[in-house]
Amino acid sequence: MASAASWSGRTVLDLGCGSGFHLPRFAATAGRVYGVEPHPALLRLAARRTRSLTNVSLLAGTAQAVPLPDASVDVVHARWAYFFGPGCEPGLRELARVVRRGGTAFVIDNDATRSTFGGWFRRGYPTIDPAAVERFWSAWGWTRVPLDVDWRFDSREDLEAVVRIEFTPEVAAAVLAEHEGTTVDYAVNLFWKRF
Ligand SMILES: C[S@@+](CC[C@H](N)C(=O)[O-])C[C@H]1O[C@@H](n2cnc3c(N)ncnc32)[C@H](O)[C@@H]1O
């Protein structure tokens, strides 16, 4: 992301910020950071996480109705949140409204075409067509950067607990029976667009 656009001194919007995990890192160099999140309990966790950071503001809202004025944001970050390809057009229209000319938006999502986790994802979500997702972003003028990351856990119990959050009991049991250890290779797509 940093090689595509700097957020130093800029206004950053983390859309669907969840418990705010990424907010402190943006806040370390950004001028102002907005975290927008629809779920009140997660918003409270994000507020608690960032209570000592004076340049962070938390707002209740969604990608389809961003509670910020037109042309008010330089960099948007949406990680595993709402922007999953076809169907997210209302959110894309909101990005075009809130991002300033010359600003950049980033979307991070699974690359289900490859990696161990990608194979698990295809089994867990067989109706999602990864090729259609890529075509969607390309048609809207976004650039794709394929990335390779890993899940790394301290214990097998932690890995299994997270797999059971991500998948149905049947799919979780099947993939765990086939996979040993405490790491999982995980392919990710970074999509980005300049406005
Ligand atoms: C998998 S979590 C990711 C959270 C955070 N981005 C992260 O990387 O830690 C997905 C988040 O998207 C939020 N979300 C769900 N629907 C949304 C919407 N319509 N607009 C914005 N965020 C949404 C959820 O509440 C949740 O916090």
Side-chain angles (χ1 to χ4, degrees):
M1 285 171 52
S3 67
S6 168
W7 51 86
S8 180
R10 305 287 172 87
T11 299
V12 175
L13 164 62
D14 190 0
L15 205 39
C17 70
S19 67
F21 180 83
H22 304 284
L23 298 175
R25 185 156 180 188
F26 288 124
T29 54
R32 168 129 311 265
V33 179
Y34 294 102
V36 167
E37 167 58 42
H39 284 276
L42 291 173
L43 202 58
R44 280 195 293 278
L45 286 173
R48 190 187 307 165
R49 190 195 293 275
T50 58
R51 66 187 155 208
S52 64
L53 304 176
T54 54
N55 61 341
V56 176
S57 304
L58 278 310
L59 303 168
T62 64
Q64 307 93 306
V66 177
L68 288 172
D70 297 356
S72 58
V73 170
D74 300 300
V75 173
V76 179
H77 167 259
R79 189 177 298 231
W80 285 296
Y82 174 78
F83 292 96
F84 299 125
C88 74
E89 294 86 349
L92 293 178
R93 283 192 284 277
E94 277 293 80
L95 294 186
R97 182 183 68 76
V98 299
V99 179
R100 291 189 183 115
R101 184 181 290 268
T104 308
F106 296 100
V107 162
I108 293 135
D109 193 11
N110 300 320
D111 178 354
T113 65
R114 58 197 186 85
S115 80
T116 298
F117 187 86
W120 295 358
F121 190 80
R122 287 198 306 278
R123 281 164 79 169
Y125 302 92
T127 60
I128 295 177
D129 175 0
V133 172
E134 284 187 28
R135 281 198 303 275
F136 174 88
W137 290 109
S138 173
W140 279 81
W142 291 60
T143 300
R144 182 175 80 97
V145 183
L147 301 173
D148 296 288
V149 303
D150 288 316
W151 269 354
R152 295 186 196 139
F153 295 91
D154 291 334
S155 70
R156 179 74 187 180
E157 290 71 29
D158 285 352
L159 182 152
E160 293 188 2
V162 171
V163 168
R164 292 193 180 99
I165 292 172
E166 295 280 338
F167 300 106
T168 61
E170 295 73 24
V171 173
V175 302
L176 288 170
E178 294 166 10
H179 189 83
E180 293 181 351
T182 56
T183 65
V184 182
D185 62 289
Y186 193 141
V188 170
N189 279 322
L190 167 66
F191 298 103
W192 67 272
K193 182 176 179 171
R194 193 92 65 219
F195 284 77

